[in-house]
Amino acid sequence: MSVFLDEFEQAPGLCYLNHAAIAPWPRRATDAVARFARDNLQRGASEYPAWLATERRLRERLARLLNAPSTGDIALLGNTSQALSLVAFGLDWQRGDQVIISDEEFPSNRVVWQALADQGVDVIETSLAGDDPEASLLKACGPRARLLAISAVQFASGLRRDLARLGQGCRERGVLFCVDAIQQIGALPFDVQHYQCDFAMADGHKWMLGPEGLGVFYCRGALRSQLKLHAYGWHMLEQLGDFERRSWQPARSARRFEPGSPNMLGACALEASLSLLEDVGMQVVAEQLGHRVEQLHQGLAAIPGVQLHSPADPRRRAGIVNFTVAGRANADIYRALSSQQVICALRGPGVRFSPHFYTDERLIDEALRLVRQIAMH
């Protein structure tokens, strides 16, 4: 484990607890981008076959990370919102169809479904309050429900869903299952087959430790041809590279969702970052992240006046810890921590901490000391 900690080189005194927003790159991703830029400077695109090999490795790593049946089930897209839009505006909706979401979704997984109102699609927001949010979500999947769209991990509180139970419930009800996995992939193991996902998507710039502008879209093979395409170009053709061919058809693989030139720079960075997660192993990543989240939970709970808004049950956690301090405005807490180089976020009911597997536990202790100091003044 210690050998992998050398991959991260953060500024002295910086305590980075914001991986649920944008993560720092590991050293190998930084080096890969520097090599890519230098080669481009000196040789232009003469090494394009090598770039394509990197892109193939990225698809292979993503397929393994999601446990997708094959790389043909993986599309490389710009972001999660783009992938959600592909589903929302690709399905053939009927007036009266319902989309079930929670009342705590990030805007990307809410507005895209609300934008279907002119097609007669109703969005049903279901409360996650209570001891059994999965039961509430599945109860909302009545005879008009067409699709359940849910975040694997809630972006503010960090509440983790039982995706296997939701997936099975959707299958039994004939409801499509769409998972915004941006707050789980790279933090915890993720398995599209075990969860019975029809669609799953995530950006690379959070827990996958990659750049902005590149993410993954999984589409179950049987559903690919059912998504109406709205973007066309040379890269999404089955006969990729046959520039003189007049007849054409969309690729049978998920590449059909990639109309134009690929983001080679992003692929270079994300492939390197995922190689680190593979080298460490996702089980180890999850265990180490769990230790750090528990350290934050215990430390914050011991500070008078602090209220936790994240799950107490470790089985319901991923990498997010949200808290408030009695008598102190969240914005004041955030500013005070930021002034001491504790990088965090204001989300939902409070201040959000989000470490990763490599976060130095001594820095977490320092962040806890600062919260205690804030609570006492």
Side-chain angles (χ1 to χ4, degrees), residues 17-224:
L17 299 176
N18 205 26
H19 295 83
I22 297 176
W25 295 0
R27 187 184 305 277
R28 66 179 69 185
T30 305
D31 292 345
V33 168
R35 287 193 301 272
F36 182 91
R38 184 177 59 251
D39 290 348
N40 208 319
L41 168 69
Q42 297 174 348
R43 301 180 59 83
S46 61
E47 299 299 322
Y48 203 84
W51 300 358
L52 290 174
T54 299
E55 186 194 52
R56 283 195 297 272
R57 288 197 302 274
L58 172 59
R59 293 179 193 274
E60 291 165 359
R61 293 190 192 281
L62 286 167
R64 290 193 292 270
L65 190 63
L66 277 66
N67 192 32
S70 75
T71 57
D73 301 303
I74 297 295
L76 301 177
L77 299 181
N79 49 60
T80 304
S81 298
Q82 184 182 1
L84 286 164
S85 294
L86 275 173
V87 177
F89 293 93
L91 290 171
D92 183 19
W93 300 98
Q94 305 298 315
R95 300 195 73 83
D97 282 348
Q98 293 179 340
V99 174
I100 312 301
I101 65 173
S102 84
D103 60 350
E104 300 181 20
E105 291 302 312
F106 193 74
S108 297
N109 197 35
R110 174 171 45 83
V111 299
V112 69
W113 310 113
Q114 293 172 337
L116 297 171
D118 62 353
Q119 298 185 45
V121 176
D122 297 323
V123 176
I124 308 300
E125 294 192 24
T126 304
S127 173
L128 296 177
D131 296 330
D132 196 348
E134 287 79 18
S136 298
L137 289 165
L138 292 174
K139 184 179 180 180
C141 293
R144 292 171 54 200
R146 179 82 181 280
L147 179 143
L148 170 63
I150 196 72
S151 294
V153 176
Q154 204 275 332
F155 77 99
S157 71
L159 174 66
R160 179 184 177 189
R161 274 58 165 210
D162 185 343
L163 296 180
R165 180 180 170 193
L166 289 175
Q168 179 61 30
C170 284
R171 193 67 66 235
E172 292 169 355
R173 291 163 174 79
V175 173
L176 295 170
F177 188 36
C178 179
V179 180
D180 177 349
I182 196 169
Q183 297 293 1
Q184 179 166 337
I185 296 178
L188 305 174
F190 192 88
D191 191 329
V192 294
Q193 296 188 71
H194 179 58
Y195 302 151
Q196 301 187 66
C197 297
D198 292 302
F199 314 104
M201 55 283 290
D203 283 78
H205 65 264
K206 298 185 188 292
W207 303 97
M208 286 188 267
L209 303 171
E212 290 187 282
L214 187 61
V216 59
F217 174 46
Y218 164 81
C219 178
R220 186 162 61 87
L223 292 171
R224 280 199 291 271

Side-chain angles (χ1 to χ4, degrees), residues 229 231-238 249-251 255-256 258-259:
L229 298 174
Y232 293 82
W234 72 277
H235 194 265
M236 50 80 69
L237 302 178
E238 179 65 26
Q249 62 182 17
R255 184 167 51 76
R256 63 171 40 221
E258 305 172 16

Side-chain angles (χ1 to χ4, degrees), residues 362-377:
R362 293 170 296 182
L363 292 176
I364 292 178
D365 284 336
E366 176 61 14
L368 291 169
R369 184 189 70 79
L370 291 170
V371 174
R372 179 179 291 274
Q373 189 178 75
I374 292 167
M376 292 174 63
H377 288 81

